Amino acid sequence: MELVSSTRSFDGLQQEYRHRSAVLNCTMQFSIFLPQGTDSEEGHRYPVLYWLSGLTCTDANFSQKAGAQRMAAELGIVLVIPDTSPRGEDVADDPSYDLGQGAGFYVNATQEPWKQHYRMYDYIAAELPALIEGHFPVSKKRAISGHSMGGHGALVIGLRNPERYTSVSAFSPICNPIACPWGEKAFGAYLGADTTGWEGYDASVLVGRATTHLPILVSQGDEDQFLEQQLRPEALQMAAEACSYPLRLEHHAGYDHSYFFIASFIEEHLRFHADYLLSNDKIPA
Amino acid sequence: MELVSSTRSFDGLQQEYRHRSAVLNCTMQFSIFLPQGTDSEEGHRYPVLYWLSGLTCTDANFSQKAGAQRMAAELGIVLVIPDTSPRGEDVADDPSYDLGQGAGFYVNATQEPWKQHYRMYDYIAAELPALIEGHFPVSKKRAISGHSMGGHGALVIGLRNPERYTSVSAFSPICNPIACPWGEKAFGAYLGADTTGWEGYDASVLVGRATTHLPILVSQGDEDQFLEQQLRPEALQMAAEACSYPLRLEHHAGYDHSYFFIASFIEEHLRFHADYLLSNDKIPA
């Protein structure tokens, strides 16, 4: 693992690392925020919030625009911010912004030409946490959050691995990708025309199958330009109500899909996760 | 004045406007943050912090990366964030990053080909405040701050117009531009080879000439890659000590020149200005 940059932030360190991913079969970059003390307090292990970004993003967007470091420093939470897809000249791509590099959709692709690299589900759920836990002073207390495509990823990975996370949250997530244009396009390409395989990556389906109920917080702006056609939070809400899954879905008047929305409510999300990450209740798998 | 974008942020509005500048003889864009209440509280007028950005920046950098809206919303302060130079195809430019568009240095140029447009001093000190005060529910309580080249601009404009500002602050400012490579190059181009005209744009000179002492806060990271060659805070400090100007210069261990430094201390700067902006002591000119 190679250190790319290291910058002081809120008395901690905002860093970028490059590493070879066996799962994705390419070199990947991620960002990490380490609160003050992670370099000195012998033995103390910090909980981690994984943040999954949306379409076209890299590890830089959340790092630079969300203002999350302030509360992460105050609460003593490590932030891990991966890229949104495999990258590189030999990695399949598409000219459109919503497929290929920058648009991995947090699935394990089964179709050509994607399946050689596009395995973001396994990368986020298993390979990256193992790497982080082997190199940094972190505990196995993990929470997961994200925005838009990354909100979809956080919900799906949390719902499918409840033993590995304390809590899940999302800003403006794609809640029902099997029934929206972004999801149909991406899943059709990565997973193929047979839609039965799609359901394992759809939060609104997975909620109904969940036997363990994690705490979930979803924040949605009502001036979001993608709300009706792409995000469909009402599908998630109906599915959660049908099975009494305790979903906390908050609508915020006047907010759009941008990082200004995330910055406005990231403190609430970090405090939500802190209630579980910092408790002594449960050690995840 | 044309509204370019409007986004909800911390229950206020983050907006961009385009307008024709008579001083700069071109179309300019600025950003403004209006805390909650500015659109409704009849009669209440909010104080304004002007933020001047550094080399290569536009109005977007501070708006997206500093995380200033949170405290501005809490304190009830309007943020105005101008661009860093005149812009446009007919505006003189230079291929280097530290001269021409994106590098106005907050001076009134006297030399060809710059003098037709490069009058950022007059734009920031007079034209823009008049525009803001004519269109938004703001008072004449003004503070000024900035980063790097913009920190230089804030110090110079504050020191030369103490009757118009309550307080001045700067992150990593170019403190002594007449004696550093960035300043020598820019002042040589904009102001000409005769260096006597340069002193009116040098904070370390102006401090010694000041008859009114404004509160000044300067924050400087000690891992700043430009510290020794370009920024020279020790020149400002020596000049302030020589005339008992009450300069508060803070060195921060481990911090560099980036927006991660600004984000870490913007709350302190906003609280510093709030002490003066929100007091009833003095109505600036």
Side-chain angles (χ1 to χ4, degrees), chain B residues 93-113:
Chain B
D93 201 3
D94 187 275
S96 56
Y97 76 99
D98 52 2
L99 189 65
Q101 295 188 35
F105 270 86
Y106 306 100
V107 302
N108 292 333
T110 59
Q111 305 298 304
E112 294 290 352

Side-chain angles (χ1 to χ4, degrees), chain B residues 25-202:
Chain B
N25 191 23
C26 68
T27 298
M28 292 295 286
Q29 185 165 300
F30 67 86
S31 284
I32 186 167
F33 174 70
L34 298 161
Q36 186 179 29
T38 46
D39 52 351
S40 61
E41 285 179 37
E42 207 60 53
H44 185 80
R45 301 210 155 250
Y46 292 76
V48 181
L49 175 70
Y50 289 84
W51 173 272
L52 307 186
S53 296
L55 287 167
T56 77
C57 288
T58 67
D59 61 303
N61 304 66
F62 182 79
S63 302
Q64 296 180 0
K65 295 183 176 180
Q69 291 90 351
R70 183 181 62 86
M71 279 310 299
E74 186 174 323
L75 297 166
I77 295 172
V78 168
L79 305 173
V80 173
I81 308 139
D83 203 346
T84 53
S85 76
R87 300 276 183 182
E89 285 185 13
D90 64 329
V91 172
D93 201 3
D94 187 275
S96 56
Y97 76 99
D98 52 2
L99 189 65
Q101 295 188 35
F105 270 86
Y106 306 100
V107 302
N108 292 333
T110 59
Q111 305 298 304
E112 294 290 352
W114 311 105
K115 66 182 184 182
Q116 285 77 16
H117 296 283
Y118 284 76
R119 301 184 62 82
M120 286 297 288
Y121 178 88
D122 282 349
Y123 176 69
I124 300 296
E127 188 186 35
L128 184 61
L131 184 76
I132 297 297
E133 289 158 22
H135 283 80
F136 298 98
V138 299
S139 71
K140 288 191 171 184
K141 290 263 189 159
R142 311 172 198 102
I144 190 161
S145 184
H147 174 234
S148 195
M149 175 183 78
H152 140 74
L155 290 168
V156 164
I157 292 170
L159 286 163
R160 286 176 57 165
N161 302 276
E163 75 289 357
R164 289 179 54 79
Y165 298 94
T166 61
S167 43
V168 180
S169 79
F171 288 85
S172 329
I174 305 171
C175 293
N176 192 197
I178 66 174
C180 80
W182 277 339
E184 288 165 2
K185 176 176 176 178
F187 287 9
Y190 298 140
L191 305 174
D194 177 1
T195 61
T196 52
W198 297 14
E199 295 189 346
Y201 296 111
D202 186 292

